[in-house]
Amino acid sequence: MNQIQCNSSRRQPSADDLAALRKRCQGILPLDGRLAAWMSGLFVNYGQQLNNWVEQFGSPVNVIHTTPLLRNIQQLVDVAASHSIDFRVYFARKANKCLAFVKSAVLAGSGIDVASEQECLQVLQCGAEGDDLVCTAAVKSKALVELCVRRRVTVVIDNWHEFACVVDHARRLDMRAVVAVRVGGFWHQNERLDSRFGFDVDEVPTIVRKISNPEFSANVDIRGLHFHLDGYSASQRVAAIEQSVGLIELMRDQGNRASFLDIGGGIPMCYLEHESQWNDFWSVHLDAVLGRHAPLTYRGHGLGFTASNGVLLGSPNVYPYFQSPVQEQWLNQILSAKLKTGDTVAATLRDRNIQLRCEPGRSVLDGCGMTMARVEFVKRNRHGDHFIGLLMNRTQCRTSSDDYLVDPILIPAIDRRLEEIDQPIEGFLVGAYCTESELLSLRKLKFRLGVQPGDLIVFPNTAGYLMHFLESRSHQFPLARNIVFQSMGNGMPNLDAIEHLSS
Ligand SMILES: *Cc1c(COP(=O)(O)O)cnc(C)c1O
């Protein structure tokens, strides 16, 4: 028996425990993931339980925990309070479907950003009020618009047809719809931030005058302005806020009670422990793409780059897994930034009584979940690499980008035999879809103490998008179950309430 399974002291894992654990499964160039304390506690002290959960709920299984969500939201709230601004978080629920997150966010006083009729209905059923909700769905069905108007959910208006649809429903229901105007195409460093979403910033003054017309005002209550930018640039947010403040004043001049500016999501987070590992990985990977180093990835996959006559083309097609500043420090940087008037963003909002709202999804789910799957086979190919087959498919830990660049954690099977442990191998995690490209990790991994059927592979920190954004039932595989972890040694976790809703 190995040390990890024998450890019955149930103490908080030491740095040595974690280093020993990570050594079992690392990239050829390691990318150590940041692990929430509850995760490392489970890995080091409760390997047996994790095996039981996979046995009971199937492979893969998503384990979620809501406490880090509340802490992450609170840290944003605290930073805003330190600048004395009116502030509210609307958790972007599309980043994870579990209802446990919705319920705890609502109980803690946060709002929820919903992206579809079903999300909206479910969140209302969880006890949220319309006031707590903002609907940013990219395409809004008539049924969704009607639901929002009836329940006084703030509708973020993306285009004219949507506005007409809202007016139509509000008139028929004899109600006043609560709306915000979505804006895109802001100026930043003399270039436009083009977007498919919202009204173009240059058009907005005309739009605001049009929709503020008395013919609409009986049925439309224009409360604020909304944007959501691609990427994670703080300076782009500052530029967009600066341009938005003037538009909110224009809304007010036109007789509207505009009270808030919603800056959307895209608050950055960091998945990795060490910046140096991230930099080393990219420098060697790019050398490999140029043919100057053995590939770190399956069949030399470029992760967004190709080489042409010795020149690198492309850009990383992956999330920036290491970045800084993130979360509340990033927000603090924005709030402290000086605008052209010489005032900070915070002072500008405060002086004008503008409430700041944001809609973080991924970053507030930092530390909130992990995905575990069982190893079913290990085999060697003719190049000497191994394929490690997991009972899982790649839609179960993936977003729209190329790869999840965080080293998985290996939890050895309980009945692993001693003589089998000591065989180091290298290879790739492969999944259950029947395509050649079905890899669960494009990076080659090193298993210093081997890997065997019955071992668990755990992908840490997958709650933001990685669990659910792309999950599919292709091949008629069932979707992964989602279980809610409460505390250590507490027996079996419960299924999340989303499991009891039919799709
Ligand atoms: C996806 C989305 C969010 C959440 O973005 P994160 O990057 O997860 O913070 C917020 N608002 C809108 C409009 C979105 O489309």
Side-chain angles (χ1 to χ4, degrees), residues 17 71 94 108 121 154 274 341 363 473:
D17 290 336
R71 193 191 54 227
K94 71 164 193 273
L121 278 169
T154 302
H274 310 291
T341 56
S363 62
R473 289 215 47 195

Side-chain angles (χ1 to χ4, degrees), residues 161-231:
H161 287 139
E162 213 167 88
F163 181 74
C165 182
V166 169
V167 170
D168 195 40
H169 283 285
R171 281 182 180 152
R172 274 201 278 140
L173 295 165
D174 194 20
M175 292 186 67
R176 202 152 180 243
V178 181
V179 307
V181 175
R182 184 160 182 168
V183 182
F186 292 101
W187 288 94
H188 177 248
Q189 297 171 353
N190 295 322
E191 284 184 31
R192 295 282 219 121
L193 304 174
D194 279 328
S195 169
R196 66 169 271 219
F197 293 106
F199 296 96
D200 186 82
V201 65
D202 286 350
E203 260 189 346
V204 172
T206 316
I207 300 290
V208 166
R209 278 184 205 103
K210 262 172 139 167
I211 65 179
S212 305
N213 190 296
E215 84 174 283
F216 301 124
S217 49
N219 297 101
V220 190
D221 187 1
I222 303 165
R223 286 286 184 78
L225 196 129
H226 171 282
F227 64 77
H228 170 73
L229 305 183
D230 213 24

Side-chain angles (χ1 to χ4, degrees), residues 92 94 113 136 182 226 228 265-267 359-362 465:
K94 71 164 193 273
D113 165 24
T136 60
R182 184 160 182 168
H226 171 282
H228 170 73
I267 298 182
E359 301 163 348
R362 184 195 292 267
Y465 296 108

Side-chain angles (χ1 to χ4, degrees), residues 291-428:
R292 299 183 193 143
H293 191 280
L296 300 179
T297 52
Y298 187 61
R299 295 183 173 173
H301 193 294
L303 304 175
F305 287 94
T306 52
S308 168
N309 300 322
V311 179
L312 276 175
L313 302 175
S315 56
N317 186 29
V318 288
Y319 188 82
Y321 285 93
F322 186 95
Q323 53 188 330
S324 171
V326 294
Q327 297 168 306
E328 76 280 4
Q329 287 106 341
W330 180 88
L331 180 63
N332 189 47
Q333 186 183 344
I334 290 174
L335 293 176
S336 313
K338 283 241 166 67
L339 301 181
K340 287 184 201 102
T341 56
D343 290 334
T344 61
V345 164
T348 304
L349 297 172
R350 208 166 48 223
D351 293 348
R352 288 166 182 74
N353 259 320
I354 297 174
Q355 181 189 48
L356 184 70
R357 299 184 177 183
C358 63
E359 301 163 348
R362 184 195 292 267
S363 62
V364 289
L365 290 167
D366 183 17
C368 290
M370 59 190 193
T371 302
M372 311 196 290
R374 210 184 105 94
V375 175
E376 296 295 341
F377 67 76
V378 179
K379 66 176 181 181
R380 213 183 120 137
N381 69 15
R382 73 184 177 87
H383 306 291
D385 286 333
H386 289 74
F387 291 123
I388 297 98
L390 298 190
L391 193 53
M392 163 174 180
N393 68 71
R394 68 176 170 157
T395 70
Q396 294 174 314
C397 181
R398 190 59 53 94
T399 66
S400 50
S401 68
D402 278 340
D403 204 6
Y404 179 57
L405 297 183
V406 179
D407 287 345
I409 299 290
L410 188 155
I411 307 291
I414 305 307
D415 54 0
R416 246 189 174 202
R417 301 231 320 279
L418 215 132
E419 65 269 26
E420 291 171 327
I421 292 175
D422 227 4
Q423 301 287 329
I425 65 164
E426 292 181 359
F428 301 96

